[in-house]
């Protein structure tokens, strides 16, 4: 299998975990292909995926995708906690959730602010939480 084909298989498996990675995100580097997600990087060769210092045979693309998706989730949730302070985050059966920790004044309600954000996948959750945090920020909170 070529490194590009192996990386395409990895992207397909990541999509099954709700992470849609464009083909343009894959960098060709000689006889390898590289993909960076947050602070994680995977390298594909003709025979293996190299992630976190370990080579995984091409047949383990599904397992590598799950490990990478889990690590990326931790990275994104950590980033959201620092970028969007004032929210309590949690993940339960099938949804990511955040709750605003302060009282919600009338000014924020009128601006369309929601004190609770919930989404079935990480990408939608991050987008919606940033949206609500920006409303709060633009209204002095």
């Amino acid at each position: 299998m070529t490194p590009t084909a192996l990386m395409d298989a990895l992207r397909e498996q990541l999509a099954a975990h709700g992470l849609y990675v464009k083909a343009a995100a894959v960098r060709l580097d000689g006889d390898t292909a590289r993909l960076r997600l947050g602070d994680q990087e995977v390298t594909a060769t003709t025979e293996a995926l190299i992630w976190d210092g370990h080579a995984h045979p091409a047949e383990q693309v599904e397992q590598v995708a799950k490990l990478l998706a889990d690590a990326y989730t931790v990275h994104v949730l950590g980033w959201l906690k620092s970028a969007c302070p004032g929210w309590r985050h949690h993940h339960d059966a099938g949804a990511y959730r955040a709750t605003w920790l302060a009282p919600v004044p009338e000014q924020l309600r009128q601006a369309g602010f929601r004190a609770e954000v919930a989404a079935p996948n990480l990408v939608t959750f991050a987008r919606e939480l940033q949206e609500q945090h920006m409303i709060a920020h633009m209204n002095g909170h």
Side-chain angles (χ1 to χ4, degrees), residues 78-103:
W79 178 83
L80 282 171
K81 284 181 182 179
S82 66
C84 302
W87 295 86
R88 182 183 51 144
H89 305 84
H90 53 283
H91 182 232
D92 55 32
Y96 294 89
R97 301 181 190 283
T99 306
W100 180 250
L101 296 173

